[in-house]
Amino acid sequence: MILFCFFSFTGNAQKKVAASGSKSTAILDTLNYLKTFEARKKEYIGKKFSYLLGAMEKIQPQTVWSVPGSMDSTIVTRSLFRFSNVNYPVMNETKMMITWEKEMPYKIVSFNNRRNKLFFSESERRFYGGQIVKNIMIYR
């Protein structure tokens, strides 16, 4: 039996679909799944990002993008986590914007981003996992 997994880029870019023969079954609607974490954000605010990552059993971030501060570009106040397996923008892609409790130096964050080509690797998991979440926003 051959099992295919692909992204449907029409409608919801993150709806993973598995097809076996002629049957198609929706596995995960990323937007609705991540919106549940936004709806329960009081549970995650003030805690380490690793706590939120641990609760995300069905999907994990694939890439991370730093957002410099609006008044000071030498600091990072927010990070954008993307869940598709590509390293370029996808139309209608679901994203998670995390605002951090403490500002991070842009040089350190940028070094990690460049080293891992923006992919959310184990080193990013450790680095961001220790950061405290101030806000969670899910959007498309």
Side-chain angles (χ1 to χ4, degrees):
M1 177 171 79
I2 299 174
L3 184 66
F4 297 97
C5 187
F6 58 91
F7 287 99
S8 172
F9 289 108
T10 57
N12 182 355
Q14 276 72 49
K15 186 172 279 190
K16 291 183 183 177
V17 178
S20 176
S22 63
K23 293 183 179 181
S24 291
T25 308
I27 294 174
L28 179 64
D29 179 343
T30 305
L31 179 63
N32 286 330
Y33 179 67
L34 293 175
K35 281 288 190 182
T36 63
F37 294 100
E38 183 181 43
R40 296 185 342 248
K41 67 174 141 182
K42 286 184 181 179
E43 179 181 343
Y44 305 106
I45 290 175
K47 294 184 179 154
K48 291 182 178 183
F49 186 56
S50 60
Y51 179 69
L52 174 59
L53 287 174
M56 296 171 59
E57 296 175 350
K58 295 182 180 181
I59 192 171
Q60 290 286 298
Q62 298 297 306
T63 60
V64 57
W65 304 72
S66 58
V67 181
S70 59
M71 302 302 275
D72 183 355
S73 62
T74 65
I75 59 169
V76 172
T77 57
R78 297 176 291 161
S79 297
L80 179 66
F81 295 88
R82 296 175 55 211
F83 295 85
S84 61
N85 64 353
V86 292
N87 202 12
Y88 56 88
V90 175
M91 186 152 72
N92 294 325
E93 179 184 14
T94 302
K95 301 167 198 75
M96 174 185 279
M97 179 73 73
I98 300 292
T99 304
W100 304 110
E101 191 73 36
K102 289 178 138 185
E103 303 164 340
M104 297 178 276
Y106 181 78
K107 283 185 176 186
I108 292 172
V109 175
S110 178
F111 173 78
N112 273 336
N113 287 349
R114 284 192 317 266
R115 181 181 59 192
N116 295 304
K117 297 182 173 63
L118 302 172
F119 284 98
F120 192 67
S121 68
E122 196 55 41
S123 64
E124 274 79 20
R125 182 174 299 284
R126 286 189 302 272
F127 176 75
Y128 289 102
Q131 303 300 319
I132 305 298
V133 175
K134 183 177 181 179
N135 194 27
I136 301 169
M137 184 173 74
I138 306 300
Y139 66 96
R140 201 184 260 178

